[in-house]
Every structure is written in structure tokens, then in C-alpha cells.
Amino acid sequence: MHGESGGNLVSILRQARGGNPPENALLDIARDGKLTTDHLRRLVAVEWQCHAVELSAYGLMSARFPRRPAVRLYGRLTELVVGAQPKLAACAEAFGMGPDDLWYRPRTYETFAFDGMLAYVAANGSQAATALALHTDVELYFGDCARLVRLAREQGVEAPDEFFRYYEGDPSTGLLDLAAEVAEDGVRNGDDPQEAILLARLLEQGIGLFWRSAAGLDVTPVHVPSRESLEGAAGIGAE
């Protein structure tokens, strides 16, 4: 299997995914005609949690593999997220969402599962593994966002224009080809293609939990003390 090219790796990954596709609970709700504005607000909140870790992950990947074409891929994704942040903030503001809505809700394991897996890939994956995992992320995320927006429009779900502008764009042009090229370069230089496919498939599961959190189907909430109780404990917040 060490002779596989990046394109062949993508094909093998897609075949494996076809036999066991990742879950998208929010898209399932939309297909059933039950999508609401609250679902869309929750999606914005869950997505907000991802950006900081994504930027850290791309930075670590760039530090570990500082050569072309790999560094071009990580750099383009960094630019994509940096450019998306103010647009997502505008989307949240249009929904009337404040800091507490973004940072403190939702707070479940599922909300952060994608972040955790991406961080693991960044710290431990080979160049080929990072590239194939990022190919998976780009392909699944933007494709499902487009489907979600289409269903939301068809069903007349109430949402601000900022939401539709943010989620119906598909800036993945060229990114998938670049990710496949980076994976091929890694394998050509000795990376294990089986590891690359394994980590890409694990990231798929993290993406599935991202959508599950956005759908409000979390099963592992994390309970933390209220701000008031924290400020009153041991003099925290006291002048």
C-alpha cells in the first residue's frame, strides 16, 4: 500500500466512507423538515469553538512540515479561517448572540470532539495523514453546509442574511487537489498511507459529533459552576 498516490488515497478513503458514511444529525433533521432557527443559532455557537483550535493546528502542522507543497495547504487553510472569523462574528451578532451564547453554550464533549481529533492529527500525524484528514474536513464540511443552506431556504427557516452568506459559500476550490498533492508528497517520502486513512476516518467521526452537537443531540454535558458562585468562592473576583 506504500505505493499509493494522493489521488488513490482519496479514492480509497471515499470508498471506505461510502460503506460507512459519517453521521450528520443536523442534516437529517433538515431532511425531515424539522430544522429551526434555534438549530442554526446552535450551529454558529458550535462552530465558534472550532476556530481557535483550527488555527493552532494549522500552525503546528506548518512548523512540523515547513516545506512545499505542505506549507501551502496549511497556509491557505489558515487564511480561510482568519477571513471567516469576522464573518462568523457578524452572523452571531445578527442572530442576537452575545459572548455567553458563543463561549458557554453548548458545552459538551461532542462540541469539542472535532477540535480534539484535529489537534491529535496536527501533533502526531504524518504529512500524508494531516493532508488526508484536511481533505476529509474540507470535502465533508463544505458539502454538508451547502446542503443545509439549500434545505433551510426551501423550508423558509428564519435566519439573517449573514447566516446564508457565511454558510453557502464554498471556498474549497483548489484545496482538495492541493490536499491530495500534499498527501502524495508525504507517501512518496515514506509516510504510511494506512495511518493517513485511519486518522482521516477518525476525523470524520469528530465531524459527525460536531454536527450532532449543532443538532442539540449531545449526550455528555459538562456541568460547571455559575459565574456568581465562582466569584463568591475564595474571593475570586473580589476587589
Side-chain angles (χ1 to χ4, degrees):
M1 193 174 179
H2 277 270
E4 297 293 348
S5 70
N8 287 340
L9 280 178
V10 169
S11 297
I12 293 169
L13 178 61
R14 285 171 174 164
Q15 290 172 8
R17 185 187 301 148
N20 184 21
E23 176 192 30
N24 187 328
L26 188 59
L27 202 54
D28 289 343
I29 288 172
R31 287 171 176 146
D32 289 340
K34 298 178 180 179
L35 191 66
T36 68
T37 301
D38 284 342
H39 286 123
L40 304 186
R41 286 168 52 88
R42 189 176 175 97
L43 171 59
V44 170
V46 174
E47 178 133 359
W48 186 266
Q49 316 301 326
C50 294
H51 281 185
V53 173
E54 286 182 285
L55 291 175
S56 298
Y58 303 149
L60 180 54
M61 292 175 192
S62 297
R64 292 184 63 216
F65 308 110
R67 60 179 180 270
R68 293 188 178 188
V71 75
R72 286 176 48 225
L73 173 64
Y74 312 139
R76 284 192 58 184
L77 286 165
T78 298
E79 292 174 0
L80 184 64
V81 174
V82 168
Q85 285 182 314
K87 298 176 184 177
L88 187 60
C91 181
E93 183 178 359
F95 267 125
M97 300 168 70
D100 283 359
D101 297 301
L102 292 173
W103 288 114
Y104 294 100
R105 292 191 298 271
R107 49 189 179 203
T108 67
Y109 171 79
E110 288 84 352
T111 306
F112 302 100
F114 168 77
D115 281 352
M117 194 63 229
L118 182 62
Y120 179 88
V121 171
N124 297 282
S126 65
Q127 175 184 304
T130 64
L132 201 61
L134 294 176
H135 187 288
T136 294
D137 181 23
V138 169
E139 185 169 53
L140 295 184
Y141 173 79
F142 286 114
D144 281 356
C145 283
R147 297 179 187 96
L148 182 69
V149 165
R150 184 178 68 250
L151 289 169
R153 286 192 182 279
E154 289 174 357
Q155 296 169 22
V157 180
E158 186 175 347
D161 291 340
E162 287 84 351
F163 174 85
F164 292 108
R165 283 198 295 268
Y166 184 88
Y167 283 99
E168 68 187 351
D170 184 0
S172 65
T173 303
L175 276 174
L176 295 178
D177 290 341
L178 179 56
E181 179 187 352
V182 174
E184 181 174 2
D185 179 70
V187 171
R188 191 165 52 241
N189 284 282
D191 291 349
D192 182 355
Q194 190 171 35
E195 180 224 15
I197 291 175
L198 170 63
L199 292 187
R201 295 239 66 197
L202 287 172
L203 191 70
E204 287 178 14
Q205 295 186 26
I207 296 170
L209 292 176
F210 166 92
W211 289 114
R212 188 170 184 82
S213 179
L217 300 176
D218 316 61
V219 296
T220 50
V222 178
H223 299 287
V224 298
S226 68
R227 272 196 191 140
E228 291 76 12
S229 63
L230 285 172
E231 289 173 355
I236 295 175
E239 295 182 0

